[in-house]
Amino acid sequence: MAISAVGEGCHKQMETLLPNIMEGVLPFLQDPHPRVRYAACNAIGQMSTDFAPIFEKKFHDKVIPGLLMVMDDHLNPRVQAHAGAALVNFAEDCPKPILTIYLDTIMGKLEFILTAKFKELVERGTKLVLEQVVTTIAAVADTAEEKFVQFYDRVMPCLKYIVQHALTPELRMLRGKTIECVSLIGLAVGQEKFMQDASDVMQLLLKTQTEEESDLAEDDPQISYMISAWARMCKILGKEFEQYLPIVMGPVMKAASLKPEVALLDGEDMKSMQEDDAWQFVTLGDQQNFGIRTAGLEEKATACQMLVCYARELKDGFADYTEQVVKLMVPLLKFYFHDGVRVAATESLPFLLECAKIKGDDYLREMWAYICPELLKVVDTEPGNDVLSEHMHSLAKCIEVLGKGCLSAENMAELMKTLDKILKEHFERADTRQQKRKDADEDYDEEVEESLLDEDDEDVYILSKVSDLMHALFGTHKVDFFPYFEQLLPHFVKLLGTERPWSDRQWAICIFDDVIEFGGPAVIKYQEIFLRPLLQYLLDPQSEVRQAAAYGAGMLGQFGGTDFAQPCAEAVPLLMQIINAPDSRSPENINPTENAIAAVAKICKFNSSLLNLDEILPHWLSWLPVWEDEDEAPHIYSYLCDLIEANHPSVLGMNNANVPRIVGVIAEVFVRDVLDKDSEIRTRILNLVRHIQSNAELFNVCITQLNPEQQLALSTALNQ
């Protein structure tokens, strides 16, 4: 249990020790004492979350069989359920290709337990393990996605039966978890498969929401599951969901519009009411104390989140509701009595703007004129960092939806002033924390340090949202944003400094990556600021910094133009150091490595005037395949197609000697499901394979060098 507790706070220290720790923990899954087995499950479940996805990649072959073995512990239901809970943590962050290997085994076990525990519920009323196995099935389906189709007909009838008949108060949690499971399975397998049950499930959900006799109490555990289920049903059904809007919108708007009882209190009132659970208290400013009756607050937050879901999923199908919803949501940006309400309100705004586009430019302008001043205001004044980050993200998304010109000169000036303040506060808070660590006295202990680390994390997250806003503004305004960017430039220069924490350097580089990508050759004016740090940080000890720098090197190759030919040539050997490092393919390093491979591809493709491609390309081909970074993989495989289509001798080799190796790379692309099924690059790759296939002798040589899994994946792709 101690190992479970220390993982989050000692992440970096423990990460390198994981093999030794697991060697110690795993045998305890078979300990004779149930409490020890329980503790071992607890440790594995917690490490699955704390060290994801590295933990899943390194230990799947031991963890999954171990937990499935403990799930046979029918004599100790608490231990059995806890093994299922640990498997949930593992499955949630497990890469799909890894989980798929074990899918038959996992589902065989879960189906058996589902059937047995359902029988126990009917006969004896016991539900602990059943609740857990339903949640575990949901987590497995969520990760397995379309691979779960083969198990659908085996589990869905039982799950539907539970939703229909688990109506007594003591079964509400089971029913809520089963509703969640059904909707997650539906999302996993897709509309075509789920449609056979979609109507029944919708009727069950509607019955729960609309019938007075099934009125949900405020603390009913089904509520939180219902919101997620509605969101998924809306996503699954798409346009088909629109028919239900007239039924569901009335109750949702009513709940979201709830005006709770609020009282302005003095100090004495606060003391006398402090013990009353029906009230919660908020202090705004120096002496303004408010009490708010909590009844209906969670329901209000839930309803607001449902409106977000409808706007996000239905788009123009929700257009007729945008006016009433935006008039509800904008005032809720300042609903300081519940963070969840403010988060839902701000999250809804870019989706509502997207919905409203179909109504025409005048309607959209009017809506934005109503939203913009209030959104800018809360970005400046929001007291909670968690909610502030959501406001910043929402503003970035609104800018991306509306494009250049959505912010007037006054709006832009106000935003730059606010960002200047946020960045100044970032440095001030970092200095304050550093001073506290230096001045450590007898009161300084692990708890104080943990609090300081939490503050570090909060500030880093806010900084990531500053980066989001820069990305949105550069993406929409390009070089026209330079004059505004320069108002904040001293802060970004400071963030780049070698003395700053790695997270400061990471986000500073990300911002300059955007400057390069969207500024193009004009970025030459800032080269004295960013160029040396960008090249230097390619070899930074921290993988996140290397990844940001590698991406930036690729952007410099793709968009920097001929003025940056020399820096691009300098970057290539540094990128090769990242790629050729002995542990470059380890889970902690794979992302910077694949970004570096993509960066070399972009430099070779767009800015290679000072490079010897005949020397570099054989190395580059040897680094393939890649599959981890879904954003960079298309760039890499597009360049591979370019080279093959051009019959480049350095890639094809003498007398096409490299073709079997190339087909092996392509087969692995299909095994790993790297490219979208409707992507142009996938089509190009298949056309190239078909061209090779026309030479039967050569193609047979290629096929014999593939393993059975690669042969099957390639054959399936060719026949689709």
Side-chain angles (χ1 to χ4, degrees):
M1 296 300 276
I3 288 171
S4 311
V6 299
E8 188 176 1
C10 305
H11 192 278
K12 288 294 175 190
Q13 295 85 344
M14 276 181 68
E15 198 164 56
T16 54
L17 301 172
L18 281 177
N20 296 335
I21 293 168
M22 286 301 291
E23 200 175 315
V25 170
L26 281 164
F28 289 115
L29 291 174
Q30 301 181 62
D31 192 89
H33 200 291
R35 287 190 180 178
V36 176
R37 298 196 298 278
Y38 182 98
C41 291
N42 200 77
I44 288 169
Q46 192 61 48
M47 286 190 288
S48 297
T49 299
D50 291 342
F51 300 100
I54 290 167
F55 184 87
E56 285 75 5
K57 291 176 182 178
K58 283 186 172 178
F59 305 112
H60 57 86
D61 57 332
K62 295 181 178 64
V63 167
I64 292 177
L67 292 177
L68 291 179
M69 175 192 67
V70 181
M71 289 190 77
D72 281 330
D73 192 353
H74 298 285
L75 296 177
N76 295 282
R78 287 186 182 278
V79 178
Q80 189 180 21
H82 214 51
L87 189 55
V88 168
N89 288 17
F90 192 91
E92 281 177 342
D93 293 301
C94 186
K96 180 177 164 184
I98 292 175
L99 192 72
T100 303
I101 299 167
Y102 302 95
L103 202 51
D104 286 338
T105 310
I106 293 170
M107 285 309 300
K109 181 75 69 182
L110 294 179
E111 285 174 54
F112 175 79
I113 298 171
L114 178 67
T115 304
K117 297 303 171 182
F118 180 69
K119 190 177 177 187
E120 275 186 29
L121 174 69
V122 173
E123 292 175 356
R124 288 181 285 179
T126 55
K127 61 183 190 298
L128 173 68
V129 178
L130 184 57
E131 284 181 0
Q132 184 55 62
V133 80
V134 165
T135 302
T136 308
I137 290 170
V140 170
D142 192 34
T143 298
E145 295 178 319
E146 79 286 349
K147 305 285 186 187
F148 196 84
V149 168
Q150 60 184 304
F151 308 105
Y152 180 90
D153 293 324
R154 283 145 56 178
V155 297
M156 189 55 75
C158 181
L159 297 171
K160 278 174 61 182
Y161 186 89
I162 293 171
V163 176
Q164 286 169 325
H165 296 95
L167 301 174
T168 55
E170 68 274 11
L171 296 179
R172 283 174 181 163
M173 181 63 79
L174 172 62
R175 188 170 189 267
K177 289 184 174 183
T178 310
I179 287 169
E180 176 186 54
C181 183
V182 167
S183 62
L184 273 168
I185 289 173
L187 198 57
V189 301
Q191 187 184 65
E192 186 179 343
K193 180 67 179 172
F194 187 62
M195 280 308 284
Q196 65 195 54
D197 293 300
S199 180
D200 289 349
V201 173
M202 283 300 301
Q203 293 309 315
L204 288 168
L205 293 176
L206 287 167
K207 188 176 179 183
T208 303
Q209 178 164 322
T210 58
E211 286 193 3
E212 284 184 23
E213 62 267 27
S214 64
D215 225 2
L216 300 178
E218 186 191 344
D219 60 351
D220 193 313
Q222 293 178 87
I223 292 175
S224 62
Y225 295 109
M226 287 283 292
I227 165 68
S228 302
W230 278 118
R232 294 185 199 106
M233 292 302 296
C234 185
K235 193 167 186 177
I236 295 161
L237 296 175
K239 297 289 284 182
E240 295 290 318
F241 190 85
E242 290 174 26
Q243 63 186 296
Y244 300 107
L245 281 177
I247 302 168
V248 300
M249 278 300 288
V252 171
M253 286 298 291
K254 182 180 176 184
S257 304
L258 172 86
K259 288 184 168 51
E261 187 180 339
V262 178
L264 181 60
L265 308 171
D266 59 25
E268 289 302 313
D269 292 332
M270 285 276 283
K271 284 178 189 170
S272 64
M273 295 175 67
Q274 207 78 37
E275 301 301 313
D276 190 342
D277 290 341
W279 290 78
Q280 70 179 45
F281 306 96
V282 177
T283 301
L284 296 177
D286 294 332
Q287 295 298 324
Q288 284 191 306
N289 301 315
F290 291 91
I292 180 167
R293 192 178 285 278
T294 55
L297 270 188
E298 287 303 323
E299 188 180 357
K300 181 183 181 76
T302 297
C304 289
Q305 198 58 53
M306 288 174 80
L307 292 170
V308 174
C309 153
Y310 299 154
R312 180 181 64 235
E313 301 302 334
L314 298 177
K315 298 183 173 57
D316 57 3
F318 196 68
D320 289 341
Y321 297 94
T322 51
E323 184 175 350
Q324 58 178 303
V325 174
V326 83
K327 284 180 177 175
L328 169 73
M329 291 300 200
V330 168
L332 293 179
L333 294 171
K334 295 180 181 177
F335 189 82
Y336 295 114
F337 305 112
H338 196 291
D339 289 359
V341 172
R342 299 202 305 289
V343 168
T346 199
E347 190 183 349
S348 72
L349 299 178
F351 298 125
L352 290 168
L353 289 167
E354 193 69 58
C355 294
K357 279 185 173 180
I358 197 172
K359 295 270 192 177
D361 290 344
D362 290 344
Y363 184 91
L364 196 62
R365 264 193 299 273
E366 193 177 331
M367 181 181 285
W368 178 236
Y370 179 65
I371 292 170
C372 182
E374 299 305 318
L375 186 52
L376 286 171
K377 207 174 292 177
V378 293
V379 169
D380 184 33
T381 59
E382 170 59 51
N385 277 348
D386 287 349
V387 183
L388 171 60
S389 62
E390 298 298 330
H391 289 323
M392 294 169 75
H393 183 72
S394 174
L395 178 57
K397 290 298 173 190
C398 288
I399 292 167
E400 288 175 358
V401 168
L402 296 170
K404 184 179 178 181
C406 66
L407 295 177
S408 65
E410 293 79 13
N411 295 152
M412 198 72 92
E414 184 181 348
L415 178 56
M416 293 306 108
K417 185 179 175 184
T418 300
L419 289 175
D420 180 62
K421 182 189 80 168
I422 288 170
L423 288 162
K424 280 177 180 169
E425 289 172 351
H426 173 84
F427 293 118
E428 287 165 7
R429 284 194 297 267
D431 290 344
T432 302
R433 288 193 295 275
Q434 196 58 31
Q435 199 57 48
K436 280 183 183 175
R437 289 176 170 121
K438 277 184 186 173
D439 300 341
D441 55 21
E442 69 275 4
D443 294 328
Y444 186 88
D445 56 16
E446 287 180 6
E447 199 171 322
V448 174
E449 177 58 22
E450 189 175 332
S451 172
L452 293 177
L453 288 171
D454 287 343
E455 289 176 28
D456 281 342
D457 289 344
E458 276 187 20
D459 274 4
V460 170
Y461 196 57
I462 295 289
L463 196 55
S464 74
K465 298 306 163 186
V466 172
S467 176
D468 283 353
L469 275 165
M470 291 297 105
H471 179 81
L473 289 162
F474 271 116
T476 51
H477 293 69
K478 309 293 191 292
V479 295
D480 291 340
F481 183 62
F482 279 0
Y484 298 101
F485 171 68
E486 285 162 14
Q487 296 175 32
L488 304 174
L489 189 54
H491 296 309
F492 300 137
V493 171
K494 188 174 179 179
L495 288 170
L496 270 179
T498 53
E499 76 288 352
R500 300 302 304 174
W502 68 261
S503 51
D504 279 12
R505 290 181 279 122
Q506 174 199 6
W507 289 110
I509 295 167
C510 287
I511 289 164
F512 279 104
D513 290 350
D514 284 330
V515 179
I516 298 165
E517 180 175 356
F518 298 113
V523 80
I524 191 95
K525 68 187 292 191
Y526 304 120
Q527 67 170 335
E528 296 300 323
I529 294 168
F530 73 81
L531 195 52
R532 284 304 118 196
L534 185 72
L535 294 172
Q536 176 186 348
Y537 292 147
L538 284 169
L539 301 180
D540 194 89
Q542 195 68 34
S543 64
E544 291 89 341
V545 178
R546 292 199 305 279
Q547 181 175 348
Y551 182 81
M555 291 299 95
L556 206 59
Q558 188 170 354
F559 298 107
T562 54
D563 287 335
F564 288 99
Q566 182 58 45
C568 285
E570 289 177 42
V572 169
L574 300 173
L575 292 164
M576 292 176 80
Q577 282 191 56
I578 297 175
I579 298 160
N580 293 326
D583 59 348
S584 67
R585 302 287 176 152
S586 68
E588 358 8 302
N589 293 319
I590 190 67
N591 284 322
T593 298
E594 293 199 355
N595 268 261
I597 294 168
V600 173
K602 290 168 190 172
I603 291 169
C604 289
K605 182 173 180 174
F606 298 105
N607 211 334
S608 61
S609 60
L610 299 180
L611 296 175
N612 182 347
L613 288 185
D614 291 332
E615 186 182 309
I616 293 170
L617 288 177
H619 290 289
W620 184 79
L621 183 62
S622 74
W623 301 329
L624 305 185
V626 301
W627 57 77
E628 197 72 29
D629 193 321
E630 293 178 359
D631 292 327
E632 293 306 305
H635 294 285
I636 291 166
Y637 292 117
S638 174
Y639 186 51
L640 179 63
C641 288
D642 292 346
L643 294 167
I644 299 169
E645 287 163 358
N647 291 315
H648 201 293
S650 296
V651 172
L652 295 178
M654 191 176 295
N655 298 321
N656 292 327
N658 293 342
V659 170
R661 158 92 180 123
I662 291 167
V663 172
V665 167
I666 290 170
E668 194 63 23
V669 168
F670 293 120
V671 169
R672 303 278 182 170
D673 204 15
V674 178
L675 300 171
D676 289 339
K677 288 189 168 47
D678 55 354
S679 75
E680 180 216 348
I681 300 159
R682 184 186 172 98
T683 304
R684 287 174 71 192
I685 285 177
L686 285 170
N687 287 338
L688 288 169
V689 175
R690 290 188 180 105
H691 181 70
I692 297 166
Q693 202 174 16
S694 65
N695 183 332
E697 185 180 346
L698 177 59
F699 191 66
N700 284 336
V701 171
C702 296
I703 292 298
T704 57
Q705 295 187 23
L706 303 179
N707 64 41
E709 189 180 14
Q710 290 173 331
Q711 289 179 11
L712 177 62
L714 186 59
S715 172
T716 303
L718 286 167
N719 292 318
Q720 278 175 344

